[in-house]
Amino acid sequence: MKELLQNAQHIVIFTHMAPDGDAMGSALALYHWLGGKPEVIVPNAFPAFFNWMPGADRIHVYEKEKAACDTIIAAADLFICTDFNDPKRIGPMGDKMLANPCPKILIDHHLNPTDFADEVHSHPEASSSCEIVYQIIRTTPINPMNLDIATCLYTGLMTDTGNFSFNSTRAELYDIIAELLRAGVQKDAIYDAVFNQYSEHRVRLTGYALYRKMRIYPEHHLALITLSADELDQYHYQVGDTEGLVNMPLQISDVYYSVFMREERAKPGTPKSRIRISFRSQGDRPVNIWASEVFHGGGHANASGGEIFGTIGQAVRLFEQTYKTYLK
């Protein structure tokens, strides 16, 4: 990996659609580690509450800058793919990336990566892709850790574990956190920047979702929340406004599984809406197999995602036809 990085002149870092904290953190940490040399491209817009992250203003958004991004991708001599394990997860950029025969490095923590990368760092036991990036930086003598890198890594670790409430029982994770704090990370300020900067519309949308749209299936300790595109429009939805909503039903004493469905209205030329689905669970109650086999997704045992194309009603029917098969 060190040889690939040192020989490359035009590095491009990709991360997945709807970038979350781990996607942003892992991509930007690598960007800073490599001296600001790479170009970072995301498929679509990231939530505004990540605008403060060091280097966020240098990110290219493919949906907004398609022609410029295509030129950058075609000229690349090395790709680094963070926090996704299949080119499909970066949308149309995946085909552009595969068309360029240059080497590809994969850094990811999701199960069953597809065989597209030349150098693979895949560790499903890791809490996040940022944890893997930390280990790469620690053991690969290119540039040392600095505050910008540490800040990006901590953001990914914090967000991909629900502020260390799941996928976070390994002692090694807290050794990493200690090192990042020694590097100067202001953990309380990061928490405030990510979780305490919501709009009034987001807070009202959350209240509506919990009061009006949450269903409980008590026989399986299961909760479901659905939001249509029209409902999101009613509350002036912005990217990231439903982040974390899927975790809230788990605060109910006898709810161990939570599912959230969000409709993305069909784009011109696309016949069906996309229903994005988030899964969460507690303890020894995996949801990743359900997400993978039924909803074309996957992820961690306790935190997974998936999607289908169609209506919210169709997604709910598929959910109700299958949950008894996959839940304890």
Side-chain angles (χ1 to χ4, degrees):
M1 182 171 181
K2 179 182 177 183
E3 183 178 351
L4 286 172
L5 292 170
Q6 290 182 330
N7 290 337
Q9 298 300 313
H10 302 286
I11 301 172
V12 174
I13 300 172
F14 293 122
T15 194
H16 58 73
M17 291 183 287
D20 57 10
D22 192 29
M24 296 286 291
S26 56
L28 287 173
L30 289 166
Y31 168 81
H32 291 296
W33 180 53
L34 297 172
K37 180 169 140 181
E39 302 280 4
V40 181
I41 307 179
V42 299
N44 52 7
F46 52 85
F49 51 78
F50 292 130
N51 284 342
W52 62 271
M53 293 182 69
D57 59 332
R58 304 298 303 276
I59 292 176
H60 300 282
V61 179
Y62 189 81
E63 282 189 346
K64 297 179 180 179
E65 311 170 55
K66 184 177 182 301
C69 289
D70 284 345
T71 300
I72 293 169
I73 294 168
D77 57 8
L78 178 65
F79 294 122
I80 306 177
C81 304
T82 69
D83 202 37
F84 68 94
N85 61 6
D86 189 317
K88 295 177 183 177
R89 293 284 285 115
I90 59 173
M93 292 195 306
D95 291 335
K96 302 289 185 179
M97 176 185 71
L98 294 176
N100 184 330
C102 74
K104 300 165 182 65
I105 299 171
L106 172 66
I107 303 171
D108 184 55
H109 68 127
H110 299 99
L111 293 170
N112 304 320
T114 57
D115 185 19
F116 73 95
D118 303 277
E119 171 97 5
V120 177
H121 298 266
S122 175
H123 297 279
E125 76 281 1
S127 65
S128 57
S129 292
C130 278
E131 180 177 342
I132 305 169
V133 171
Y134 167 86
Q135 297 293 359
I136 290 171
I137 291 173
R138 186 179 66 84
T139 58
T140 309
I142 292 181
N143 288 310
M145 181 73 65
N146 61 36
L147 182 56
D148 284 346
I149 296 170
T151 297
C152 293
L153 291 176
Y154 185 86
T155 302
L157 292 171
M158 178 188 73
T159 54
D160 230 36
T161 59
N163 199 29
F164 310 106
S165 63
F166 52 82
N167 299 327
S168 56
T169 58
R170 294 165 47 254
E172 294 87 347
L173 173 62
Y174 298 92
D175 294 334
I176 294 171
I177 294 168
E179 287 302 313
L180 298 179
L181 293 175
R182 292 188 187 101
V185 162
Q186 300 295 310
K187 74 176 189 66
D188 294 343
I190 293 174
Y191 181 94
D192 184 67
V194 174
F195 294 115
N196 291 336
Q197 301 298 323
Y198 299 160
S199 68
E200 176 187 348
H201 295 303
R202 171 176 174 152
V203 175
R204 291 187 182 278
L205 174 62
T206 300
Y208 169 77
L210 293 173
Y211 183 57
R212 295 288 188 184
K213 301 307 303 288
M214 183 174 67
R215 310 182 200 180
I216 303 295
Y217 300 76
E219 72 280 11
H220 277 78
H221 308 282
L222 169 65
L224 171 67
I225 298 173
T226 64
L227 288 172
S228 69
D230 287 341
E231 289 169 322
L232 295 169
D233 288 346
Q234 181 183 349
Y235 288 91
H236 308 280
Y237 172 79
Q238 299 293 315
V239 173
D241 278 356
T242 56
E243 191 79 20
L245 181 58
V246 67
N247 298 312
M248 292 185 174
L250 296 177
Q251 298 173 17
I252 301 170
S253 61
D254 59 349
V255 170
Y256 308 134
Y257 301 95
S258 178
V259 177
F260 169 55
M261 298 181 178
R262 173 174 61 85
E263 180 187 17
E264 291 183 354
R265 188 173 279 108
K267 296 179 180 178
T270 304
K272 296 180 180 180
S273 296
R274 183 198 303 264
I275 311 301
R276 294 196 178 273
I277 308 169
S278 299
F279 302 79
R280 295 292 185 272
S281 64
Q282 294 176 329
D284 184 23
R285 302 178 181 91
V287 288
N288 54 337
I289 298 174
W290 186 23
S292 174
E293 293 184 354
V294 179
F295 294 100
H296 316 290
H300 291 297
N302 298 118
S304 296
E307 64 181 24
I308 68 167
F309 287 87
T311 67
I312 283 280
Q314 290 170 332
V316 171
R317 283 193 292 275
L318 185 57
F319 162 91
E320 292 183 335
Q321 290 165 3
T322 58
Y323 75 83
K324 293 179 182 178
T325 302
Y326 290 95
L327 304 188
K328 292 184 177 181

